[in-house]
Amino acid sequence: MSALDPKTLTVVVTGATSGIGAATVRRFASAGSKVVAMGRREDRLQALAQEFPNLVLPVVLDVRDYAATEAAFAALPDAFKGYNVLCANAGLALGLEPAQEAKIEDWQTMIDTNITGLAYTVRAGLPGMVARKEGHVVFTGSVAGDYPYPGGNVYGGTKAFVKQFALNVWADVVGTGVRVTNIEPGLTETEFSVVRFRGDEAKADKVYEGTAPMTGEDIAEQVFFAATLPRHVVVLRIQAMANQQSFSPFSIKR
């Protein structure tokens, strides 16, 4: 069977205002898919909608609010209500301090967004696809869910949750017509590190210095690939790294 026609897809993307989310919106919309772009920054959502008239619907939403998330899905207009791809992408990293020095408010924000907000998104968006017997949940995980690194502590823990949650959702929906994929990027240059270092662009640039990192567009291409495969094919995990990245070496203190 051939790949799915992207013009038959209606895609919901959370965290759509920057990085992987914005690139995913553009990748699908440029192929003719209808896209619901969800995020907190209205100006950026409106810019995406103007870039793709009639294809991108901007929805201002903080996924950490379940009532608002549920209401946003319920209020989708008819042209977008039959979404068949849900990209649960909203997430962030804050700080790189060791666990004993990390700010508890940073930990709480990561847990609230990367775990709670993601769970809210899936719980609000999944039932409609199951009822329609057609859909695909695409999670944005991270190689940090498998490979620990100093300062990754709670961020890595949240991405380990994403990995296992995705697999468990697949165990629940198998046979319903809904597919599940966890996209697990490695070194990717977006606003990710700028956010992690609270707007310190010089510090963020140091993360990628001397490397050729992946881009948001590289990851969006992986999302697009998984979502347009024939419906009898499920890619459960895509783990990709920049070509200059590998696993952490053992740390031995003497």
Side-chain angles (χ1 to χ4, degrees):
M1 295 178 67
S2 58
L4 298 180
D5 181 352
K7 292 184 176 64
T8 67
L9 300 180
T10 299
V11 186
V12 176
V13 182
T14 65
T17 59
S18 66
I20 293 169
T24 299
V25 171
R26 291 189 174 98
R27 181 64 183 94
F28 280 97
S30 65
S33 305
K34 289 181 290 187
V35 185
V36 180
M38 294 180 168
R40 292 183 297 166
R41 290 174 282 191
E42 185 174 9
D43 56 336
R44 295 194 178 193
L45 295 176
Q46 292 294 344
L48 283 169
Q50 291 167 15
E51 199 174 328
F52 300 97
N54 304 316
L55 284 177
V56 173
L57 175 70
V59 175
V60 178
L61 175 68
D62 185 339
V63 296
R64 296 173 296 181
D65 182 336
Y66 183 66
T69 302
E70 193 175 39
F73 279 92
L76 290 175
D78 288 344
F80 294 86
K81 194 176 288 292
Y83 58 89
N84 48 15
V85 180
L86 172 58
C87 297
N89 168 74
L92 77 166
L94 290 172
L96 202 59
E97 299 88 356
Q100 67 272 21
E101 297 173 14
K103 296 178 176 63
I104 193 64
E105 57 268 27
D106 288 350
W107 281 9
Q108 191 64 61
T109 298
M110 287 186 282
I111 291 167
D112 289 346
T113 307
N114 301 0
I115 294 180
T116 304
L118 177 131
Y120 285 173
T121 299
V122 173
R123 185 61 186 84
L126 181 60
M129 292 191 293
V130 171
R132 292 187 291 274
K133 299 181 180 179
E134 177 189 75
H136 196 156
V137 184
V138 182
F139 294 83
T140 301
S142 169
V143 295
D146 269 351
Y147 310 115
Y149 59 87
N153 42 73
V154 162
Y155 174 72
T158 66
K159 292 304 181 178
F161 170 86
V162 174
K163 174 184 67 177
Q164 196 63 25
F165 183 46
L167 293 173
N168 277 274
V169 171
W170 172 240
D172 287 337
V173 301
V174 64
T176 67
V178 176
R179 301 186 289 183
V180 174
T181 301
N182 189 28
I183 306 291
E184 305 172 27
L187 190 68
T188 305
E189 186 170 12
T190 61
E191 291 180 26
F192 175 86
S193 286
V194 176
V195 172
R196 167 167 257 173
F197 297 120
R198 297 176 178 79
D200 188 334
E201 295 194 12
K203 201 169 183 179
D205 288 344
K206 281 285 185 185
V207 174
Y208 310 104
E209 189 177 323
T211 73
M214 295 185 293
T215 65
E217 289 71 26
D218 291 328
I219 310 309
E221 195 62 41
Q222 296 166 35
V223 176
F224 187 83
F225 164 76
T228 54
L229 285 170
R231 293 209 179 277
H232 69 284
V233 180
V234 180
V235 176
L236 290 175
R237 300 176 68 184
I238 297 179
Q239 191 172 94
M241 293 187 179
N243 202 24
Q244 290 170 280
Q245 183 182 24
S246 188
F247 317 113
S248 299
F250 285 115
S251 177
I252 301 173
K253 304 298 183 186
R254 307 213 184 256

